[in-house]
């Protein structure tokens, strides 16, 4: 095992992003289906590392602390970009999207647990291959996997959760583009992005921004304050009814700080700088997450779990096409939100953002999608998912879990 420290892990992530950029630029399938660069590059590197390990016995380990921090920085930047005046604009569509996402959580758990029972497995395995890891992601999977292992004696729960979450992360990035491509045939495509003068945060990551030393210094300071407060709130609420993932508290702290600075102190915040730093953190987080895939672990999953994950992927795509797209308005904004829903419905919110960016940088901005999806994916979905998981655990215990 060759263990790379944080600096070398960052170098490796940079190589992954450069490789992904080249692949997407030169391979029509990736480009036409809007596969994010980090997904393309990360998956190829993960395969290469698996082959290297199997043929030579040499394997690589990557420092995970930087990846965690980048994820927190990204979510905090979303909080800092959330002006209350914009959140109010979310209004009814925000509520509808929360309901749609919650409905998908219920569907995932019914499908997962139903298939597990039908295949002769413990229903809790289906719950792990349901919203615990697919909507919840790695952090949620580790937390609930530990609960199922300790309280219900489910063997290998944490390891299985990590494998399912990893698989979901890849699949969430892979199906978002094709789903959007299918839906784009149903609506009139928007204007070319070059015709748009307004460039909202996270919507056009390749656009030029007005960033200077002062704005970077101020934004880094706001990020540091928000992360510090969020981390303190995380410790304060641990093992209480208010317990949530650390990044949620950091996002929440960012929202509060942003609006205090904007509406109390009447100081203009540099959205351009928040945009740049947030997108940099997002790109490197995805690259690190994907290049760290343990494909050997995924290959070792039992056939029933692979079947469940495969069917969950099809169900997510169908739900995005026939439910999310329709309830969100059957328009271009709905297409971008459907691609985003595929991202965090199977993987994580950063994957959702990457999916949406892959669409908007080709077909034009979707302010509505980038207003609603990050807040739902990073905040509301965790609350809804946790409540529903508790209900399904009770159901699973009665089914023999």
């Amino acid at each position: 095992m060759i263990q790379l420290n944080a600096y070398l892990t960052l170098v490796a992530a940079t190589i992954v992003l450069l490789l992904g950029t080249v692949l997407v630029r030169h391979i029509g399938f990736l480009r036409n289906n809007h596969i994010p660069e980090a997904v393309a590059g990360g998956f190829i590197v993960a395969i290469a590392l698996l082959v290297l390990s199997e043929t030579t016995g040499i394997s690589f380990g990557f420092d995970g602390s930087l990846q965690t921090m980048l994820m927190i920085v990204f979510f905090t930047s979303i909080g800092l970009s959330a002006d209350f005046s914009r959140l109010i604009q979310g209004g009814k569509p925000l509520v509808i999207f929360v309901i749609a996402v919650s409905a998908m959580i219920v569907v995932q758990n019914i499908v997962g647990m139903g298939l597990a029972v039908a295949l002769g497995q413990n229903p809790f395995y289906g719950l792990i291959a349901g919203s615990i890891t697919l909507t919840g992601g790695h952090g949620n999977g580790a937390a609930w996997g530990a609960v199922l292992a300790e309280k219900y004696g489910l063997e290998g729960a944490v390891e299985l959760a990590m494998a399912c979450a990893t698989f979901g992360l890849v699949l969430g990035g892979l199906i978002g583009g094709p789903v959007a491509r299918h839906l784009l045939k149903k609506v009139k495509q928007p204007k070319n992005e070059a015709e748009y003068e307004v460039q909202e945060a996270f919507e056009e990551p390749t656009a030029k921004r007005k960033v200077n030393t002062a704005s970077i210094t101020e934004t880094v300071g706001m990020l540091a304050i928000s992360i510090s407060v969020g981390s303190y709130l995380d410790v304060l609420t641990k093992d209480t009814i208010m317990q949530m993932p650390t990044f949620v508290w950091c996002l929440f702290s960012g929202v509060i700080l942003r609006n205090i600075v904007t509406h109390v102190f009447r100081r203009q915040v540099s959205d351009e700088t928040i945009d740049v730093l947030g997108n940099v953190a997002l790109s490197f987080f995805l690259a690190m997450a994907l290049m760290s895939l343990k494909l050997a672990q995924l290959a070792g999953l039992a056939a029933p779990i692979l079947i469940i994950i495969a069917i969950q992927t099809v169900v997510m795509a169908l739900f995005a096409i026939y439910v999310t797209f329709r309830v969100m308005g059957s328009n271009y904004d709905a297409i971008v939100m459907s691609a985003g829903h595929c991202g965090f419905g199977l993987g994580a919110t950063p994957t959702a953002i990457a999916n949406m960016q892959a669409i908007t940088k080709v077909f034009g901005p979707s302010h509505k999608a980038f207003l609603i999806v990050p807040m739902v994916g990073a905040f509301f979905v965790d609350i809804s998912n946790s409540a529903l998981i508790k209900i399904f655990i009770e159901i699973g215990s009665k089914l023999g879990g």
Side-chain angles (χ1 to χ4, degrees):
M1 167 71 75
I2 300 176
Q3 184 66 41
L4 302 186
N5 60 25
Y7 302 110
L8 292 176
T9 297
L10 186 61
V11 171
T14 302
I15 294 173
V16 166
L17 289 173
L18 293 174
L19 174 61
T21 300
V22 173
L23 290 173
V24 172
R25 183 181 302 160
H26 292 92
I27 299 178
F29 173 81
L30 299 177
R31 184 174 61 256
N32 295 335
N33 287 286
H34 316 298
I35 303 302
E37 288 86 351
V39 173
F43 196 55
I44 293 298
V45 170
I47 293 175
L49 292 178
L50 174 63
V51 173
L52 180 65
S53 176
E54 294 296 322
T55 56
T56 68
I58 299 175
S59 59
F60 286 85
F62 300 99
D63 185 275
S65 59
L66 189 57
Q67 179 181 330
T68 301
M69 177 54 66
L70 287 168
M71 180 187 71
I72 291 176
V73 168
F74 166 67
F75 282 115
T76 305
S77 69
I78 291 179
L80 289 175
S81 67
D83 192 319
F84 280 150
S85 60
R86 292 181 183 174
L87 296 180
I88 293 174
Q89 295 173 12
K92 184 178 178 180
L94 178 66
V95 176
I96 294 175
F97 193 60
V98 170
I99 294 173
V101 169
S102 299
M104 183 58 203
I105 291 173
V106 173
V107 170
Q108 279 183 333
N109 290 333
I110 291 175
V111 170
M113 295 177 70
L115 286 173
V117 172
L119 294 169
Q121 302 295 315
N122 188 312
F124 285 145
Y125 284 126
L127 188 57
I128 289 177
S131 75
I132 283 182
T133 59
L134 300 183
T135 294
H138 286 81
N140 201 57
W144 286 106
V147 171
L148 292 175
E150 295 171 5
K151 189 173 181 179
Y152 297 93
L154 194 66
E155 295 183 2
V158 175
E159 292 76 11
L160 179 61
M162 293 300 96
C164 289
T166 301
F167 217 145
L169 191 67
V170 175
L171 294 171
L174 289 175
I175 72 168
V179 165
R181 184 176 175 82
H182 171 76
L183 291 174
L184 280 166
K185 300 175 184 178
K186 300 178 179 293
V187 301
K188 181 180 179 181
Q189 295 183 8
K191 299 177 182 179
N192 184 281
E193 65 174 333
E195 298 179 30
Y196 286 84
E197 295 182 359
V198 179
Q199 297 168 351
E200 293 288 348
F202 304 110
E203 293 185 39
E204 299 178 57
T206 59
K208 294 182 179 180
R209 311 294 191 193
K210 296 179 180 179
V211 178
N212 54 42
T213 303
S215 66
I216 292 176
T217 302
E218 182 179 276
T219 302
V220 169
M222 293 176 68
L223 286 168
I225 292 172
S226 300
I227 293 173
S228 297
V229 173
S231 299
Y232 175 74
L233 291 174
D234 177 55
V235 174
L236 197 65
T237 58
K238 188 175 182 180
D239 298 325
T240 70
I241 194 174
M242 294 294 292
Q243 182 174 355
M244 292 186 291
T246 305
F247 69 81
V248 176
W249 284 117
C250 293
L251 183 150
F252 176 74
S253 300
V255 172
I256 299 301
L257 179 59
R258 161 61 188 264
N259 287 278
I260 289 176
V261 172
T262 300
H263 300 292
V264 177
F265 293 100
R266 303 292 180 181
R267 180 172 178 81
Q268 184 176 0
V269 174
S270 176
D271 286 316
E272 293 86 355
T273 308
I274 295 172
D275 178 15
V276 169
L277 295 182
N279 273 297
V280 169
L282 169 64
S283 296
F284 279 101
F285 164 76
L286 284 174
M288 291 178 184
L290 289 162
M291 73 183 185
S292 302
L293 288 175
K294 302 298 183 183
L295 294 181
Q297 184 181 25
L298 294 181
L301 283 174
I305 300 300
L306 291 174
I307 292 173
I308 294 173
I309 293 294
I311 293 177
Q312 292 281 28
T313 303
V314 174
V315 170
M316 180 69 254
L318 293 175
F319 191 94
I321 292 171
Y322 293 105
V323 179
T324 306
F325 172 66
R326 293 183 178 181
V327 300
M328 296 313 299
S330 299
N331 52 25
Y332 177 66
D333 290 321
I335 290 175
V336 180
M337 283 187 275
S338 296
H341 193 185
C342 289
F344 74 73
L346 288 178
T349 303
T351 308
I353 302 299
N355 281 353
M356 295 194 300
Q357 287 178 342
I359 306 303
T360 58
K361 73 180 181 181
V362 175
F363 297 102
S366 173
H367 306 330
K368 183 178 180 180
F370 279 86
L371 173 70
I372 293 174
V373 173
M375 288 301 297
V376 174
F379 184 73
F380 292 105
V381 71
D382 285 300
I383 298 173
S384 177
N385 197 21
S386 295
L388 290 170
I389 286 172
K390 292 179 181 178
I391 294 174
F392 277 96
I393 284 180
E394 293 299 319
I395 295 173
S397 62
K398 294 179 180 179
L399 292 175

